[in-house]
Amino acid sequence: MTALQHLQPTSLSLLSALPSGWVGEVLDGELVASPRLSVAPARAAFMMGVELGERLDPRRGGNGRWCFLRAPELHLGEDILVPDLAAWRRERVAAPPEPGAAFFTLVPDWVCEVLTPATTALDRARKLPLYARAGVSYVWLVDPVARTLEVYQRLKRGWLLTASHEDDALVRAEPFSSVSLELGALWLPDAPEEMPRLAAVP
């Protein structure tokens, strides 16, 4: 992420003024912005939601124990964070979110960040400590280039890396150890040479 300028966290108008295609966050009073996910990270984030949501979200026929959201805006104390995915245990959500809610103040139980060359340092060095400070219990870091998943659990002294998976592993990891995640489903498939590729429209 590229630091744009320092600001008071209440200056939300600066977030809304960011150019189209950029995501803004406020970290320790600093507004930072990053481009929206490109194809490979977007695929990983989408498929992670599909794989977990179908098993754990009741609207997808799951066991109903979790509520998942894609890229929610979280107002956690003075910080504003936008993880690629977040989830709350159902017993902590007293009522469904308001349909028009612009942001959420309830700390998630789990967040997932999909790493890109532009955001890896920020996700690891700046956002992980803020998630710990806010009280998030688990963080997953997905790297679609290296094809890896890192699982972190919050302890009193900070984050503990509890598991690391790669390639096409079948994953059972906290806090979703009751389900098997096909890690290979997150990665872009290798396209045959004769098949056309998706191209960005200028």
Side-chain angles (χ1 to χ4, degrees), residues 23-74:
V23 178
E25 298 175 289
V26 178
L27 312 178
D28 285 323
E30 182 183 7
L31 172 63
V32 295
S34 61
R36 293 192 180 276
L37 296 178
S38 58
V39 174
R43 156 82 180 198
F46 172 77
M47 290 305 297
M48 177 73 79
V50 169
E51 289 288 309
L52 294 177
E54 286 188 345
R55 294 164 174 79
L56 298 168
D57 193 296
R59 292 188 178 274
R60 299 297 298 169
N63 61 24
R65 296 176 183 172
W66 290 85
C67 174
F68 289 87
L69 287 177
R70 170 79 174 89
E73 182 176 306
L74 306 176

Side-chain angles (χ1 to χ4, degrees), residues 116-190:
T116 72
T119 64
T120 295
L122 182 105
D123 287 336
R124 291 185 180 279
R126 296 191 62 182
K127 293 181 71 174
L128 271 177
L130 297 183
Y131 285 134
R133 185 169 74 189
V136 177
S137 297
Y138 296 91
V139 171
W140 288 13
L141 297 181
V142 174
D143 188 332
V145 175
R147 297 192 171 192
T148 59
L149 165 64
E150 297 173 12
V151 178
Y152 291 87
Q153 181 178 359
R154 181 176 54 84
L155 303 178
K156 289 184 178 180
R157 63 179 183 274
W159 293 109
L160 173 67
L161 176 63
T162 60
S164 182
H165 307 275
E166 61 183 353
D167 295 328
D168 297 327
L170 192 62
V171 175
R172 286 183 178 270
E174 293 291 347
F176 311 119
S177 57
S178 63
V179 301
S180 296
L181 170 68
E182 296 182 16
L183 198 59
L186 275 57
W187 321 132
L188 280 175
D190 296 325

Side-chain angles (χ1 to χ4, degrees), residues 63-116:
N63 61 24
R65 296 176 183 172
W66 290 85
C67 174
F68 289 87
L69 287 177
R70 170 79 174 89
E73 182 176 306
L74 306 176
H75 291 210
L76 306 179
E78 295 185 347
D79 299 310
I80 299 176
L81 300 105
V82 184
D84 295 308
L85 288 163
W88 293 258
R89 296 182 188 275
R90 282 283 174 181
E91 60 264 27
R92 294 185 59 231
V93 181
E98 292 291 333
F103 60 86
F104 303 89
T105 58
L106 183 64
V107 178
D109 296 286
W110 169 88
V111 299
C112 177
E113 295 284 7
V114 180
L115 306 179
T116 72

